[in-house]
Amino acid sequence: MYLVTDTGQCGGPAGVVETARQAADGGVDAVQVRDPHATTRELVALATAVREALAGTGVPLIINDRVDVALAVGADGVHLGQRDLDPVTARALFGPDVHIGLSISDERELTEALGLPAGTVDLLGVGPVRDTPSKTDAAPAVGFDGLAAICRRSPVPCVAIGGIKGDDLAAVRAAGAVGAAVISAICGRPDPTAAARALSRGWAAAVPDATGSAR
Amino acid sequence: MYLVTDTGQCGGPAGVVETARQAADGGVDAVQVRDPHATTRELVALATAVREALAGTGVPLIINDRVDVALAVGADGVHLGQRDLDPVTARALFGPDVHIGLSISDERELTEALGLPAGTVDLLGVGPVRDTPSKTDAAPAVGFDGLAAICRRSPVPCVAIGGIKGDDLAAVRAAGAVGAAVISAICGRPDPTAAARALSRGWAAAVPDATGSAR
């Protein structure tokens, strides 16, 4: 389970930090700080505070879009969209040890991603699986069948994103994704720890059987 | 003379590139690409095109705010505002050879800038000298007296910015600034080369005399 933060849904920067801390307590495997409305300095401050909240938890900190901010705060990785810095340049700036994720929303973008030099991208974020209110400029939903088709073609691990709820986790796993990213399913929930725990347990329980369909 | 580009005033990205090329022909000493509305990928594309337009001219390319974009395109420098990445972190990411400018708009920000480790910042952008329509979130105008007071206190060279017109250049030089940055005085002008040439000549002619007032 991969938490992507939304500053508005978390009630502000302090809410993002607290949500990240609670989600880590609840068992999420990674936290991505995303705030396209923040100034650079605000985003550095936010990412620094989240890094401190995650210290010692083993949960990696990923920064959305901003390679400079990821470098400035010593993040574990960056997640790039199609409008962000291109992954080859990002890899050159980071070197081999920083995690680079890339969002793709259709087969064409997958084909483009698969054409990148080996080792450029560590993870693909595939979506939106469902239409979602968290990202108003998102591409059309790929659905679970679209997700499965992309996962089948991709040698790079895929994480599903976009409107994922607890009830979807079996379908996400059955589609072949290695994980699910959520915003609304944790951010702004009355008890983010409990929400994260329920999702993490739901994910662990949704082991696909040998036929590829979820139990 | 220091051109700061405004994509809207230039009529779009192609207009920015053409304006930069013509301004270099007209004698500007530096070009800063500024587009806070562009996506990262758009800004990289724009900066790359401007870099190509300036190749061989000797005119350095400076990127506003975005250290990642400056690194990605191999820019000569970055110009940071008070809401951008802090200069110490930027210097650490760039090493010693990349030019770093910093915007300040009052004596308090000057004091803060003067407290930075030596060699952090190469240039201060001081302003707005006049109120300007190009930057709607700007601080109150410092005026020419405010500019002079800041230049007197600063061991780091200062460039004036904000509503500077050809008629102001003598006052800017008399205030002790090493240069003047302009947006509207070049961007969107019918003949940017002629506008840049007039400004460059105006600057050269505005040599302060020994008493410190402009000739």
Side-chain angles (χ1 to χ4, degrees), chain A residues 39-41 44 65-68 71-72 81-87 89 93, chain B residues 39-41 44 65-68 71-72 81-87 89 93:
Chain A
T39 66
T40 303
R41 194 162 297 188
V44 167
D65 174 7
R66 297 294 299 266
V67 168
D68 47 355
L71 289 167
Q82 295 286 325
R83 299 172 192 175
D84 301 339
L85 199 64
D86 75 279
T89 304
L93 293 174
Chain B
T39 66
T40 302
R41 195 162 295 189
V44 167
D65 175 5
R66 296 294 299 267
V67 168
D68 47 356
L71 289 166
Q82 295 285 324
R83 298 171 193 177
D84 302 339
L85 199 64
D86 75 279
T89 304
L93 293 175

Side-chain angles (χ1 to χ4, degrees), chain B residues 131-192:
Chain B
D131 291 319
T132 160
S134 295
K135 201 171 171 189
T136 50
D137 61 346
V142 297
F144 292 96
D145 289 347
L147 173 65
I150 286 172
C151 291
R152 270 196 300 275
R153 277 185 59 204
S154 176
V156 177
C158 294
V159 164
I161 189 166
I164 307 283
K165 295 172 184 58
D167 289 348
D168 297 326
L169 298 179
V172 169
R173 265 193 105 152
V178 300
V182 296
I183 300 178
S184 309
I186 295 181
C187 294
R189 293 294 160 129
D191 186 342

